[in-house]
Amino acid sequence: AEQFGTRPADCRVAVAPSIGPCCFEVGDDVAALFDEAYPGWNLVARRPGCRPHVDLWACLERQLARAGLQTGNIRLAGICTCCHPDEFHSHRYQQGHCGLMAAVMALRDNAKE
């Protein structure tokens, strides 16, 4: 916004496949950090006999909305890379021995339209 005069309400975000809440297992220390950083957001799922799982998708969606993006302009693929290692690279699933994926960002000058 400072650099280009972008209004968050005009932004659109598409989030590619990434590790989902089903597979993003963390230790109690990391879970506590999420609870502390985002009180009331309920990003950490705790089940008896299991390690905590964090919902990074919900975290990102809420961060973007808090930054002023309209929820209708936020699209999450909702595809877990760890659940689909045959289609996507997954650092966690492949224990660090994986390929790379790319991210793309673009700025468009609406004044010229």
Side-chain angles (χ1 to χ4, degrees):
E2 290 178 25
Q3 184 80 24
F4 300 104
T6 304
R7 293 179 3 165
D10 294 335
C11 292
R12 293 189 176 108
V13 174
V15 181
S18 54
I19 194 163
C22 49
C23 293
F24 191 53
E25 186 177 276
V26 298
D28 290 326
D29 56 336
V30 173
L33 291 172
F34 273 91
D35 288 336
E36 182 181 321
Y38 305 103
W41 285 23
N42 301 316
L43 299 172
V44 181
R46 292 177 172 84
R47 296 177 191 95
C50 298
R51 293 182 64 185
H53 284 68
V54 175
D55 188 343
L56 294 176
W57 297 341
C59 186
L60 179 58
E61 197 167 26
R62 290 179 186 155
Q63 286 176 333
L64 291 168
R66 181 188 269 183
L69 275 80
Q70 297 177 22
T71 55
N73 287 348
I74 302 169
R75 299 276 194 253
L76 301 173
I79 301 170
C80 177
T81 53
C82 195
C83 289
H84 299 278
D86 54 321
E87 297 179 60
F88 306 101
H89 296 295
S90 171
H91 181 83
R92 178 143 311 187
Y93 181 86
Q94 295 167 297
Q95 299 176 353
H97 303 287
C98 60
L100 302 174
M101 295 194 302
V104 178
M105 292 177 61
L107 292 173
R108 184 174 75 179
D109 185 357
N110 288 336
K112 294 181 181 180
E113 292 182 13

